[in-house]
PDB file of all heavy atoms in Angstrom:
ATOM      1  N   LEU A  60     -37.534  10.178  71.861  1.00  0.00           N
ATOM      2  CA  LEU A  60     -38.825  10.857  72.008  1.00  0.00           C
ATOM      3  C   LEU A  60     -39.956   9.854  72.221  1.00  0.00           C
ATOM      4  O   LEU A  60     -40.853  10.078  73.050  1.00  0.00           O
ATOM      5  CB  LEU A  60     -39.105  11.726  70.795  1.00  0.00           C
ATOM      6  CG  LEU A  60     -38.200  12.954  70.632  1.00  0.00           C
ATOM      7  CD1 LEU A  60     -38.458  13.625  69.293  1.00  0.00           C
ATOM      8  CD2 LEU A  60     -38.415  13.935  71.779  1.00  0.00           C
ATOM      9  N   LYS A  61     -39.921   8.742  71.527  1.00  0.00           N
ATOM     10  CA  LYS A  61     -40.966   7.723  71.712  1.00  0.00           C
ATOM     11  C   LYS A  61     -40.891   7.135  73.110  1.00  0.00           C
ATOM     12  O   LYS A  61     -41.932   6.850  73.735  1.00  0.00           O
ATOM     13  CB  LYS A  61     -40.822   6.624  70.651  1.00  0.00           C
ATOM     14  CG  LYS A  61     -41.299   7.050  69.284  1.00  0.00           C
ATOM     15  CD  LYS A  61     -41.181   5.921  68.275  1.00  0.00           C
ATOM     16  CE  LYS A  61     -41.724   6.325  66.914  1.00  0.00           C
ATOM     17  NZ  LYS A  61     -41.626   5.226  65.922  1.00  0.00           N
ATOM     18  N   THR A  62     -39.672   6.960  73.621  1.00  0.00           N
ATOM     19  CA  THR A  62     -39.499   6.465  74.986  1.00  0.00           C
ATOM     20  C   THR A  62     -40.091   7.453  75.984  1.00  0.00           C
ATOM     21  O   THR A  62     -40.767   7.059  76.939  1.00  0.00           O
ATOM     22  CB  THR A  62     -37.995   6.221  75.287  1.00  0.00           C
ATOM     23  OG1 THR A  62     -37.494   5.267  74.346  1.00  0.00           O
ATOM     24  CG2 THR A  62     -37.784   5.698  76.688  1.00  0.00           C
ATOM     25  N   ASP A  63     -39.833   8.733  75.767  1.00  0.00           N
ATOM     26  CA  ASP A  63     -40.405   9.766  76.628  1.00  0.00           C
ATOM     27  C   ASP A  63     -41.915   9.736  76.592  1.00  0.00           C
ATOM     28  O   ASP A  63     -42.581   9.866  77.630  1.00  0.00           O
ATOM     29  CB  ASP A  63     -39.902  11.153  76.211  1.00  0.00           C
ATOM     30  CG  ASP A  63     -38.456  11.403  76.570  1.00  0.00           C
ATOM     31  OD1 ASP A  63     -37.871  10.578  77.300  1.00  0.00           O
ATOM     32  OD2 ASP A  63     -37.907  12.417  76.096  1.00  0.00           O
ATOM     33  N   ILE A  64     -42.476   9.583  75.414  1.00  0.00           N
ATOM     34  CA  ILE A  64     -43.942   9.536  75.266  1.00  0.00           C
ATOM     35  C   ILE A  64     -44.511   8.358  76.053  1.00  0.00           C
ATOM     36  O   ILE A  64     -45.507   8.503  76.774  1.00  0.00           O
ATOM     37  CB  ILE A  64     -44.326   9.440  73.775  1.00  0.00           C
ATOM     38  CG1 ILE A  64     -44.006  10.772  73.074  1.00  0.00           C
ATOM     39  CG2 ILE A  64     -45.803   9.096  73.620  1.00  0.00           C
ATOM     40  CD1 ILE A  64     -44.094  10.702  71.558  1.00  0.00           C
ATOM     41  N   LYS A  65     -43.873   7.205  75.961  1.00  0.00           N
ATOM     42  CA  LYS A  65     -44.354   6.033  76.710  1.00  0.00           C
ATOM     43  C   LYS A  65     -44.258   6.277  78.207  1.00  0.00           C
ATOM     44  O   LYS A  65     -45.159   5.908  78.972  1.00  0.00           O
ATOM     45  CB  LYS A  65     -43.563   4.792  76.329  1.00  0.00           C
ATOM     46  CG  LYS A  65     -43.918   4.250  74.966  1.00  0.00           C
ATOM     47  CD  LYS A  65     -43.123   2.994  74.633  1.00  0.00           C
ATOM     48  CE  LYS A  65     -43.473   2.524  73.249  1.00  0.00           C
ATOM     49  NZ  LYS A  65     -42.719   1.336  72.845  1.00  0.00           N
ATOM     50  N   ALA A  66     -43.174   6.918  78.653  1.00  0.00           N
ATOM     51  CA  ALA A  66     -43.010   7.208  80.065  1.00  0.00           C
ATOM     52  C   ALA A  66     -44.109   8.152  80.550  1.00  0.00           C
ATOM     53  O   ALA A  66     -44.692   7.984  81.615  1.00  0.00           O
ATOM     54  CB  ALA A  66     -41.636   7.798  80.353  1.00  0.00           C
ATOM     55  N   ILE A  67     -44.401   9.156  79.747  1.00  0.00           N
ATOM     56  CA  ILE A  67     -45.458  10.125  80.091  1.00  0.00           C
ATOM     57  C   ILE A  67     -46.804   9.424  80.144  1.00  0.00           C
ATOM     58  O   ILE A  67     -47.615   9.656  81.063  1.00  0.00           O
ATOM     59  CB  ILE A  67     -45.477  11.285  79.085  1.00  0.00           C
ATOM     60  CG1 ILE A  67     -44.232  12.133  79.257  1.00  0.00           C
ATOM     61  CG2 ILE A  67     -46.741  12.125  79.224  1.00  0.00           C
ATOM     62  CD1 ILE A  67     -44.003  13.139  78.136  1.00  0.00           C
ATOM     63  N   GLU A  68     -47.076   8.534  79.194  1.00  0.00           N
ATOM     64  CA  GLU A  68     -48.358   7.799  79.201  1.00  0.00           C
ATOM     65  C   GLU A  68     -48.470   6.934  80.436  1.00  0.00           C
ATOM     66  O   GLU A  68     -49.551   6.816  81.034  1.00  0.00           O
ATOM     67  CB  GLU A  68     -48.462   6.960  77.924  1.00  0.00           C
ATOM     68  CG  GLU A  68     -48.712   7.777  76.690  1.00  0.00           C
ATOM     69  CD  GLU A  68     -48.675   6.958  75.385  1.00  0.00           C
ATOM     70  OE1 GLU A  68     -48.228   5.790  75.426  1.00  0.00           O
ATOM     71  OE2 GLU A  68     -49.066   7.509  74.354  1.00  0.00           O
ATOM     72  N   THR A  69     -47.380   6.348  80.879  1.00  0.00           N
ATOM     73  CA  THR A  69     -47.390   5.508  82.079  1.00  0.00           C
ATOM     74  C   THR A  69     -47.727   6.349  83.303  1.00  0.00           C
ATOM     75  O   THR A  69     -48.512   5.948  84.150  1.00  0.00           O
ATOM     76  CB  THR A  69     -46.018   4.818  82.269  1.00  0.00           C
ATOM     77  OG1 THR A  69     -45.736   4.034  81.109  1.00  0.00           O
ATOM     78  CG2 THR A  69     -46.006   3.910  83.475  1.00  0.00           C
TER      79      THR A  69
END
Side-chain angles (χ1 to χ4, degrees):
L60 291 172
K61 285 182 177 181
T62 301
D63 287 350
I64 291 169
K65 286 181 182 179
I67 291 168
E68 288 174 348
T69 302

